[in-house]
Amino acid sequence: MFATLSDKLDLVFKKLRGQGVMTEDNVKDALREVRLALLEADVNFKVVKDFVEKVRTRAVGTEVLQSLAPGQQVIKIVHDELVLLMGGSEDNSLDLAAKPPVAIMLVGLQGAGKTTSCGKLAKYLKGQRKKPLLVPADVYRPAAIEQLKVLGRQLDIEVFNSLATQKPLDICREAHRYATLNGFDVIIYDTAGRHQIDDYLMEELEGIRDELAPREILFVADAMTGQEAVNVAQGFNDRLGITGVILTKLDGDAKGGAALSIKAVTGKPVKFVGLGEKLDALDVFHADRLVSRILG
Ligand code: GDP
């Protein structure tokens, strides 16, 4: 059986109850457990280091409450600080405040879940009484165009008839014209991915971004890739200026610490999480749910 962080901290503080204030020494062992728990949850080590310092400052000298075991007190501090790090009660909703059709661009590495997330997002927006148009703009992988068309049919949401022989920029221009003429509110662009960031892909995405002036550029990150997702997020943010993140595959084993690191490193919020392959498996992001998951 794996002990939860909460159990471990209770053990660390077993003798402390009713002893006045938490000292540097008492807190040291507890913070070691916190550090391990965060690293195990894929939080980037530098983020963990800064974070643990913050908790130390808050915890040392804190009065030990009679009503709460000291371990629980530290958990509460850790929980509150993690929620703050994730943006606390910041508004992470989609920004669609522009003249329709509002452009949303999904970017990320191949296999992260972009195409699936486009479908999920379209379904979510349809549920909000919007009229979304799905646009496949990944001409390098004709199967991706077909995949989006299949999703569109399942959702009864229109998919722009992109052709693999077209240039992505031409597809985007035509789709925009089509959406304007046909009264669509939102256009969701599924862009090309690669196995790793390369210059050619970034130039193409920059060109699309400059043409569309999207209200949202959402980076799709696979939670299962852990810390690597953070480096990739930083690469996309540096080149494109992402506006938010969709963290996919949180239905798997990943604790989701990558979300914390991405937010800490890029400053951009996680807006949605993917919780399965089905098209309704998309949730609006809640910082406290993710934090509870990380602290297990
Ligand atoms: P893309 O290459 O970025 O467009 O990725 P796809 O949308 O094709 O997704 C790659 C694989 O990940 C597919 O098998 C999807 O069904 C799967 N997938 C996407 N999102 C999720 C998710 O939230 N949970 C799970 N379990 N699988 C997902």
Side-chain angles (χ1 to χ4, degrees):
M1 272 291 285
F2 294 108
T4 64
L5 179 63
S6 180
D7 297 338
K8 289 179 190 163
L9 292 187
D10 280 346
L11 212 63
V12 169
F13 286 119
K14 215 167 62 188
K15 293 186 235 91
L16 194 66
R17 203 190 266 265
Q19 278 187 19
V21 295
M22 292 194 209
T23 66
E24 189 87 37
D25 257 5
N26 306 142
V27 169
K28 206 169 107 199
D29 289 345
L31 290 183
R32 193 175 157 271
E33 298 293 351
V34 171
R35 185 181 304 118
L36 284 177
L38 294 179
L39 289 174
E40 272 167 22
D42 280 333
V43 183
N44 172 286
F45 76 94
K46 197 176 167 308
V47 175
V48 173
K49 194 160 169 272
D50 294 347
F51 177 77
V52 166
E53 259 328 292
K54 222 182 276 172
V55 176
R56 186 195 312 280
T57 314
R58 248 190 86 177
V60 172
T62 300
E63 216 173 302
V64 177
L65 301 174
Q66 296 297 334
S67 55
L68 212 58
Q72 296 307 313
Q73 252 173 282
V74 172
I75 288 269
K76 184 165 172 2
I77 295 174
V78 170
H79 184 278
D80 293 352
E81 289 288 338
L82 282 178
V83 170
L84 269 182
L85 194 65
M86 281 307 324
S89 51
E90 265 172 32
D91 179 13
N92 289 336
S93 53
L94 272 185
D95 176 10
L96 301 177
K99 187 166 159 269
V102 183
I104 300 178
M105 209 174 145
L106 266 63
V107 299
L109 295 185
Q110 198 168 312
K114 267 186 314 302
T115 306
T116 311
S117 298
C118 283
K120 290 176 175 179
L121 204 55
K123 180 174 172 21
Y124 168 82
L125 288 170
K126 191 178 171 191
Q128 310 239 309
R129 298 179 185 280
K130 300 278 184 202
K131 186 180 173 191
L133 175 68
L134 284 164
V135 180
D138 180 357
V139 293
Y140 310 102
R141 217 164 52 93
I145 298 183
E146 194 44 44
Q147 189 185 343
L148 201 60
K149 287 183 177 166
V150 170
L151 294 183
R153 276 197 291 275
Q154 284 173 23
L155 294 166
D156 197 20
I157 289 174
E158 191 167 339
V159 180
F160 186 70
N161 192 21
S162 312
L163 302 173
T165 48
Q166 286 178 293
K167 291 202 179 87
L169 212 53
D170 290 338
I171 293 176
C172 294
R173 281 192 197 117
E174 280 181 28
H176 188 268
R177 203 173 308 131
Y178 179 82
T180 309
L181 287 174
N182 292 282
F184 286 90
D185 301 309
V186 187
I187 313 178
I188 303 172
Y189 292 92
D190 185 19
T191 63
R194 298 274 200 284
H195 290 298
Q196 59 191 44
I197 297 182
D198 66 52
D199 234 27
Y200 184 75
L201 169 70
M202 282 303 170
E203 272 169 29
E204 177 181 300
L205 293 175
E206 281 169 345
I208 294 176
R209 176 200 59 194
D210 294 346
E211 171 71 27
L212 298 174
R215 197 73 191 172
E216 293 273 9
I217 303 176
L218 300 176
F219 172 69
V220 180
D222 177 344
M224 304 289 282
T225 62
Q227 307 233 12
E228 184 51 24
V230 184
N231 301 333
V232 180
Q234 196 167 13
F236 274 81
N237 190 43
D238 287 349
R239 291 290 292 263
L240 296 173
I242 63 172
T243 59
V245 176
I246 300 179
L247 189 67
T248 63
K249 310 189 192 179
L250 261 193
D251 49 310
D253 291 338
K255 285 249 184 180
L260 270 175
S261 310
I262 291 175
K263 166 76 179 168
V265 168
T266 65
K268 304 299 163 58
V270 179
K271 297 204 166 189
F272 294 95
V273 294
L275 292 165
E277 296 190 78
K278 295 220 175 90
L279 292 169
D280 54 4
L282 183 79
D283 259 8
V284 171
F285 177 72
H286 292 285
D288 51 345
R289 278 189 211 159
L290 184 92
V291 169
S292 301
R293 178 185 174 109
I294 288 175
L295 293 181

